[in-house]
Amino acid sequence: MSKGIAKVPRQNPPARNRRTFMEAWVAVTHDVSPQLDDLVVTAHRIRESIESVIEGKSDVVRLTLTVLLAEGHLLIEDVPGVGKTMLAKALARSIDCPVRRVQFTPDLLPSDITGVSAYNQQTMEFEFKPGPVFANIVVGDEINRASPKTQSALLECMEEHQVTVDGSTYRLDSPFMVIATQNPIEMEGTYPLPEAQRDRFTARIAMGYPAPSAELEMLDVHGAASPLDKLEPVATTEEVKALIEAVRGVYVSQPIKMYAIDLVTATRQSPDLRLGASPRSTLQLVRAARAHAALAGRDYVIPDDLQDLCVPVLAHRLLPSIEAQGQRRPPEQVIADLVRRVPVPEAQPR
């Protein structure tokens, strides 16, 4: 692969010239590896499969794939009936791998998720009965309807990819992804997710209401039968593992890493936030940026990748100050302002 130095202005560009600056950043002779070509083709198949069920939400589908390839977990938050569970099921069915769905309810116990040790009278020993978390993709439907104790059962699974029951530790297969849906906390019968639980999710997205044209198409497609019934896997577990491995090899320069740290540090210093982003969020932001770049056919990360992901990756981890709440400035708006203010690094030789 040839290497070069892009010519860019010495000073950080204003926001209105950001796209011109990004073009200068990538103005290098670049050859995409065959492995990355395979990633783009396979990811495109998965994306088309999901979009055959979810109409008019291409950005949401792309972010979902980004989280999958970043080895992360996805939180889908919105009002009932906009397709949160449908999106999770569509991704699960598009990949030929073990999938489990858990309907979270107030009476759900932690052992209903992780599994339980049961006594076998024939062998006179305790045997571990795996719970639904032992799958490659776990769909947690309406996760905030369960108690915080039950929600916490996912903490170890999501962070360490393992389950500890009665002193014994059991590894979870790779890839492992939790896709959780949650209703707004203003709705009846919900428990707010603890900060530690939200911090485990790589990104949070909102489906939003579909455009009228997409809703009309939904009536035509979903009117007679659910398209999920006809959805067939378009990728195998081994292919997804190969994609994840390719994403790990995406290049992140030192200035880009420092830019990610600057963005996260800005949330900790903002007077509009009483809780900034954690060091875990910095790591997950860079991982997601790698996947974002790979899906764009690049094996290197540019500032655009970080900027595009700042809101979905950071916003759900932050707590606004009382003043920001009074001014109705949600974390999403605060992050957007910080992205405009934090200096963009200049291009560096690879």
Side-chain angles (χ1 to χ4, degrees):
M1 182 180 298
S2 59
K3 304 178 181 179
I5 302 177
K7 296 181 179 179
V8 298
R10 285 183 175 273
Q11 296 181 348
N12 294 314
R16 62 180 180 272
N17 295 328
R18 187 167 69 91
R19 184 57 55 184
T20 303
F21 176 69
M22 292 308 127
E23 292 172 354
W25 185 286
V26 298
V28 294
T29 303
H30 186 74
D31 299 321
V32 179
S33 66
Q35 190 178 21
L36 200 60
D37 281 338
D38 295 339
L39 183 151
V40 174
V41 172
T42 305
H44 183 69
R45 291 203 312 266
I46 299 175
R47 184 174 180 175
E48 282 189 333
S49 177
I50 299 174
E51 290 183 345
S52 68
V53 177
I54 306 295
E55 293 86 7
K57 297 294 180 182
S58 57
D59 291 342
V60 171
V61 174
R62 180 184 175 86
L63 181 58
T64 301
L65 289 178
T66 299
V67 174
L68 171 66
L69 299 183
E71 302 175 84
H73 310 287
L74 183 66
L75 180 63
I76 310 174
E77 181 181 44
D78 218 318
V79 297
V82 294
K84 302 188 299 295
T85 305
M86 185 74 73
L87 171 64
K89 287 183 176 179
L91 173 63
R93 295 198 181 189
S94 299
I95 302 173
D96 188 14
C97 63
V99 179
R100 298 291 184 270
R101 178 178 177 271
V102 182
Q103 178 64 55
F104 281 73
T105 56
D107 60 348
L108 193 71
L109 299 175
S111 58
D112 295 331
I113 299 174
T114 59
V116 63
S117 293
Y119 185 72
N120 189 325
Q121 292 184 348
Q122 294 181 343
T123 61
M124 301 183 67
E125 293 179 350
F126 282 93
E127 294 181 353
F128 178 65
K129 304 294 183 181
V133 77
F134 285 85
N136 291 120
I137 296 180
V138 178
V139 180
D141 208 3
E142 297 182 310
I143 186 174
N144 61 335
R145 289 189 61 204
S147 66
K149 180 179 181 180
T150 301
Q151 294 174 12
S152 65
L154 288 172
L155 291 177
E156 182 183 14
C157 309
M158 296 170 66
E159 181 66 19
E160 303 175 40
H161 291 193
Q162 66 181 32
V163 172
T164 301
V165 177
D166 294 337
S168 299
T169 300
Y170 306 90
R171 296 292 303 175
L172 299 175
D173 292 335
S174 179
F176 175 71
M177 180 181 185
V178 173
I179 306 176
T181 69
Q182 95 169 337
N183 298 325
I185 60 174
E186 296 84 5
M187 305 194 72
E188 187 174 348
T190 60
Y191 299 84
L193 287 178
E195 288 79 6
Q197 182 76 28
R198 293 202 308 268
D199 200 40
R200 258 65 171 191
F201 286 99
T202 300
R204 181 188 64 181
I205 59 174
M207 296 291 293
Y209 290 112
S213 58
E215 196 161 2
L216 178 61
E217 184 178 354
M218 180 192 71
L219 294 178
D220 295 334
V221 174
H222 296 242
S226 173
L228 277 174
D229 298 335
K230 299 180 181 180
L231 208 60
E232 297 290 338
V234 295
T236 65
T237 306
E238 294 304 319
E239 285 178 316
V240 173
K241 287 182 180 179
L243 300 185
I244 292 174
E245 190 63 33
V247 167
R248 290 174 181 170
V250 172
Y251 176 75
V252 184
S253 67
Q254 199 69 15
I256 291 292
K257 293 177 183 178
M258 287 305 305
Y259 184 47
I261 293 175
D262 290 342
L263 289 170
V264 173
T265 302
T267 67
R268 302 167 187 166
Q269 299 173 347
S270 172
D272 293 322
L273 300 172
R274 58 188 173 94
L275 177 64
S278 66
R280 181 188 287 116
S281 65
T282 312
L283 177 61
Q284 294 188 349
L285 179 61
V286 172
R287 286 179 177 175
R290 281 192 170 105
H292 191 270
L295 289 174
R298 285 181 280 104
D299 64 355
Y300 56 94
V301 175
I302 61 176
D304 258 14
D305 297 317
L306 296 174
Q307 293 171 351
D308 290 345
L309 293 167
C310 266
V311 170
V313 173
L314 301 181
H316 63 288
R317 310 169 193 270
L318 310 177
L319 294 179
S321 64
I322 297 177
E323 292 78 9
Q325 288 177 324
Q327 297 171 0
R328 296 185 178 181
R329 283 172 51 80
E332 291 82 357
Q333 183 179 343
V334 175
I335 292 176
D337 293 340
L338 293 177
V339 169
R340 286 191 290 268
R341 292 204 302 264
V342 175
V344 179
E346 294 187 357
Q348 300 289 328
R350 292 190 58 191

